[in-house]
Amino acid sequence: MKYIQTENAPKAVGPYSQAIVSNGFIFCSGQIGLDPKTNELVEGIEEQTHQVLKNLNGVLKASTSDLEYVVKTTVYLSDITYYTKMNEIYGEYFSKHKPARAAFAVAALPKGALIEIEAVAEVKK
């Protein structure tokens, strides 16, 4: 098992890792739309969705993988009305490769985020 920590995604804000590599898979903790340079939440569902996916890709690259090796994501939305816009942007990052996915609304997300995405990916061979 290997713990992943990269400057290309926000630092963990609690007792958890950005990701763990185990048995050929990368288990990525949920990412919210924090800019890793400023540690501030970007504005709006569009910008937060882009930032979340960039953060996930940063963690995956530090784990010797990338978005093309994602096998499953879970998307948490603070409001289900964001689903259509999130789905449109998500499709820009997963246009050819389409991992399994669950998406649903939750009561609240850390730091008042509008979206959080966690992922499981294969280590790039």
Side-chain angles (χ1 to χ4, degrees):
M1 184 167 31
K2 178 181 175 187
Y3 296 95
I4 301 301
Q5 175 64 43
T6 179
E7 297 296 319
N8 294 324
K11 291 181 174 129
V13 294
Y16 62 90
S17 300
Q18 288 174 323
I20 290 181
V21 179
S22 180
N23 293 322
F25 286 93
I26 304 154
F27 300 87
C28 298
S29 294
Q31 289 289 324
I32 60 174
L34 291 175
D35 181 327
K37 291 180 179 72
T38 65
N39 207 36
E40 296 292 325
L41 200 59
V42 298
E43 292 291 322
I45 189 62
E46 294 91 351
E47 288 305 313
Q48 285 189 29
T49 303
H50 282 292
Q51 189 64 56
V52 165
L53 290 163
K54 289 174 189 174
N55 291 347
L56 273 176
N57 201 35
V59 171
L60 289 168
K61 287 184 178 207
S63 308
T64 66
S65 194
D66 59 44
L67 292 174
E68 290 184 26
Y69 289 83
V70 172
V71 296
K72 169 77 167 77
T73 63
T74 304
V75 179
Y76 305 94
L77 298 164
S78 66
D79 187 326
I80 200 64
T81 62
Y82 297 144
Y83 181 84
T84 301
K85 184 50 77 176
M86 173 281 297
N87 203 45
E88 177 184 309
I89 295 166
Y90 183 97
E92 294 173 20
Y93 292 82
F94 296 107
S95 58
K96 294 179 185 170
H97 167 67
K98 297 178 180 7
R101 183 183 82 186
F104 48 91
V106 296
L109 291 168
K111 297 189 174 260
L114 305 176
I115 183 171
E116 180 173 355
I117 302 177
E118 64 180 13
V120 177
E122 291 183 302
V123 172
K124 193 187 288 188
K125 296 181 174 132

